[in-house]
Amino acid sequence: MPAGDADPPPRGSGNTKRDSASPAMASRPKPDKDRSAITRSVIERYGIEVSGFDDPDIEDDVIVEFAAALDDVLPRYPAIDLRGVAICELRADEVSTATWNWTPAPDGPRPYTARIVLASTVARDPLGLARRVRLAVESRELVSGSEERPVYSTIVRELARALDVAGGFRARRRAQSALLAHFLPSIGNRDGLRTVLDSYREWRSALSGYAFYGRRLHPGRCLAEAFTEVHLHSTSASAPAQVLHHLLVETAREVSHL
């Protein structure tokens, strides 16, 4: 069962370019290990299965950036229950995906992320991915900064979905109400409903287009994109992104008891 949403939605209102305030936006790490050492490190640190990292047609930088995303996110969010990562074949239109399942627990079944996958066609053509991500950023489909580290930001987005899984997808049901609860106290009591609605949509449009399906907030994608924005830009991220990031993290912590 897919945790993510593979097909990109129509473009929505975008965000403005922000300063690179987060360590995630620093220069990409230098490959100081060969890929077998990186694979061993990922297995030993996180106890997860790794496959596809030994493909000789994949450049070392792709493996380094994939592993860097894991190293930057997993220790900070222990609620994520990730069992494996892979580089393998996906559908022609997919860049990456996350799959999930349930495991028995004393208090009822708990969801976990079975695997995060980067498409092998993408991994073997990092320049093609870079072009694709750059165009998505230019059209305001993806958050600015994604183009600076295309593989890294792609995996961060999938890790956000893994956090959504850890929260039992409850954050999706709360996303719109969390945004409204943050926004409504900032407006005047005498504003009419139409004015309030227009103002709210304008404020919410600071999120990138990936967070929307047409004019509607997409409950799964908005959380993944908000998480990515905050991870890349830290306190320079937009207010809606910070609200959704907080919701996603706290919901996962609440459900997982971590």
Side-chain angles (χ1 to χ4, degrees):
M1 297 174 68
D5 303 280
D7 300 326
R11 225 177 78 189
S13 298
N15 61 326
T16 56
K17 187 171 181 63
R18 282 172 278 279
D19 296 333
S20 301
S22 168
M25 297 302 294
S27 298
R28 65 190 63 193
K30 300 294 183 183
D32 58 352
K33 301 178 182 178
D34 62 31
R35 64 181 61 205
S36 61
I38 292 173
T39 301
R40 287 195 303 273
S41 176
V42 169
I43 293 171
E44 290 169 3
R45 292 188 67 179
Y46 307 116
I48 62 179
E49 295 183 1
V50 177
S51 64
F53 279 31
D54 57 350
D55 185 335
D57 293 327
I58 297 173
E59 295 180 11
D60 287 348
D61 280 350
V62 172
I63 307 299
V64 169
E65 287 289 273
F66 196 133
L70 299 176
D71 287 341
D72 287 352
V73 175
L74 290 178
R76 294 181 62 187
Y77 304 97
I80 294 176
D81 184 0
L82 176 63
R83 308 292 177 88
V85 294
I87 297 175
C88 64
E89 297 297 328
L90 292 176
R91 291 185 329 195
D93 59 341
E94 285 187 299
V95 170
S96 60
T97 192
T99 59
W100 64 277
N101 209 330
W102 299 92
T103 187
D107 56 349
R110 287 189 179 179
Y112 66 90
T113 301
R115 195 164 66 158
I116 285 176
V117 179
L118 181 67
S120 54
T121 52
V122 169
R124 293 172 189 145
D125 183 20
L127 292 179
L129 175 63
R131 286 191 296 271
R132 181 170 180 169
V133 173
R134 186 184 69 250
L135 290 172
V137 170
E138 289 175 355
S139 66
R140 297 182 177 178
E141 185 71 16
L142 295 179
V143 62
S144 64
S146 298
E147 79 284 6
E148 296 184 26
R149 302 179 69 179
V151 172
Y152 180 92
S153 61
T154 296
I155 300 305
V156 167
R157 204 168 276 108
E158 296 301 338
L159 287 164
R161 293 191 174 102
L163 198 58
D164 190 18
V165 171
F169 306 106
R170 296 182 188 180
R172 297 186 180 197
R173 298 194 297 269
R174 304 172 183 172
Q176 191 81 263
S177 59
L179 290 171
L180 284 167
H182 183 89
F183 173 78
L184 289 176
S186 68
I187 62 173
N189 294 330
R190 291 177 295 180
D191 291 335
L193 180 59
R194 173 55 58 186
T195 299
V196 170
L197 182 58
D198 290 345
S199 297
Y200 169 65
R201 284 176 172 165
E202 181 179 0
W203 174 80
R204 195 183 63 177
S205 70
L207 296 168
S208 64
Y210 189 74
F212 299 90
Y213 190 85
R215 297 185 68 186
R216 295 184 178 182
L217 194 71
H218 191 292
R221 292 170 182 167
C222 72
L223 293 166
E225 192 67 359
F227 180 93
T228 305
E229 181 178 338
V230 172
H231 183 77
L232 294 180
H233 296 287
S234 188
T235 56
S236 296
S238 67
Q242 294 191 46
V243 170
L244 293 176
H245 177 274
H246 178 77
L247 171 67
L248 183 61
V249 172
E250 290 305 311
T251 302
R253 183 178 294 132
E254 170 192 315
V255 171
S256 65
H257 308 296
L258 291 175

